[in-house]
Amino acid sequence: MSDPHVVVYPPDEDGGRRVRIDGEISGMAFSLTDVVEFLRRAGWLDTETWPPIEWRGGGPEVWGH
């Protein structure tokens, strides 16, 4: 499996962050756990081998207000 391009967008007004994997929206994340689930669904079961993630509007510690 080739490395997908993963983008986590800034929080919206509800505190969720849109997640895009390989150009397709995977869903709205409200925590790092949600991002992990989207990666799992995309075939990334081993979190030690995550693809690079581009965090926009703050890193994995930024969620909502």
Side-chain angles (χ1 to χ4, degrees):
M1 176 180 288
S2 63
D3 286 350
H5 184 139
V6 179
V7 179
V8 180
Y9 291 89
D12 67 10
E13 60 277 355
D14 294 324
R17 298 180 75 166
R18 194 169 27 130
V19 178
R20 182 181 298 268
I21 299 175
D22 263 351
E24 298 207 10
I25 297 296
S26 296
M28 187 68 74
F30 290 90
S31 69
L32 185 56
T33 301
D34 294 335
V35 175
V36 171
E37 176 61 16
F38 295 140
L39 289 170
R40 185 194 68 75
R41 290 179 188 176
W44 293 91
L45 297 178
D46 182 358
T47 59
E48 292 182 22
T49 61
W50 279 3
I53 299 173
E54 179 182 342
W55 295 90
R56 296 184 182 175
E61 70 284 351
V62 177
W63 298 97
H65 307 293

